[in-house]
Amino acid sequence: MFSFRGDAHKLFLTLKKLKDIHSNKDLKEAAEIKSFYESLESETLRLIYYRMVKEQNGTGIIPIFVTAIPWLLFLFSDKIQDFLFKDGILIWAIFITIYLILLTVSAFFHFKEKAWAALHIEIIKDVLEERDNNS
């Protein structure tokens, strides 16, 4: 069934149906990540945390594309219109199609990477908090 709900709700529905929740591949992957981070020293873990925060807040390619949108408005200037529309609308259509495909794919990867960074950050914070509470 198609749903506009996100992956979190899909995961919930999947887990709700499972008899052995720990057999879920997404949970296994998160457990492997946590296990690895637990094996590292706290100082190393803090350095990884700082790097992950940088990755999560990195500019990436999306802001470049978003700020490039005003360049699309240049296409409506007389000289560029003459060039693009001289032989019909084909060059214009190709350019816009390629641009929108690149923008869509880039947005998808940007937010997927940002989500992965958030997962690692939360796991690292939990491991460090557990260590601080046990000290």
Side-chain angles (χ1 to χ4, degrees):
M1 181 172 108
F2 180 75
S3 173
F4 285 108
R5 294 182 180 177
D7 289 341
H9 188 71
K10 290 176 190 171
L11 177 63
F12 163 73
L13 292 175
T14 303
L15 294 176
K16 192 173 155 183
K17 293 176 188 175
L18 290 177
K19 290 184 180 184
D20 180 20
I21 290 177
H22 300 289
S23 67
N24 180 277
K25 70 177 182 89
D26 293 326
L27 294 182
K28 281 183 181 178
E29 188 174 37
E32 288 175 11
I33 293 168
K34 185 177 181 189
S35 175
F36 171 73
Y37 286 143
E38 287 174 335
S39 71
L40 299 175
E41 296 175 0
S42 293
E43 189 57 34
T44 304
L45 206 50
R46 281 186 185 86
L47 294 174
I48 294 171
Y49 172 79
Y50 300 146
R51 180 64 188 185
M52 291 294 176
V53 169
K54 179 200 175 290
E55 288 297 318
Q56 187 181 36
N57 295 321
T59 57
I61 196 164
I62 296 304
I64 293 169
F65 277 124
V66 170
T67 56
I69 288 174
W71 287 102
L72 282 176
L73 299 177
F74 264 119
L75 294 176
F76 297 105
S77 71
D78 291 335
K79 291 181 182 182
I80 297 176
Q81 273 188 17
D82 291 342
F83 172 74
L84 289 176
F85 295 115
K86 185 166 96 175
D87 296 325
I89 199 162
L90 184 61
I91 294 174
W92 166 257
I94 291 171
F95 173 77
I96 291 297
T97 302
I98 291 172
Y99 182 81
L100 291 176
I101 289 170
L102 285 174
L103 183 62
T104 303
V105 169
S106 298
F108 175 77
F109 284 119
H110 173 77
F111 289 109
K112 195 135 181 99
E113 287 300 316
K114 205 167 173 146
W116 273 108
L119 172 76
H120 284 264
I121 287 169
E122 289 301 317
I123 291 173
I124 290 170
K125 283 170 48 177
D126 285 348
V127 170
L128 288 172
E129 283 177 18
E130 285 175 15
R131 289 182 184 173
D132 290 342
N133 291 339
N134 292 337
S135 297

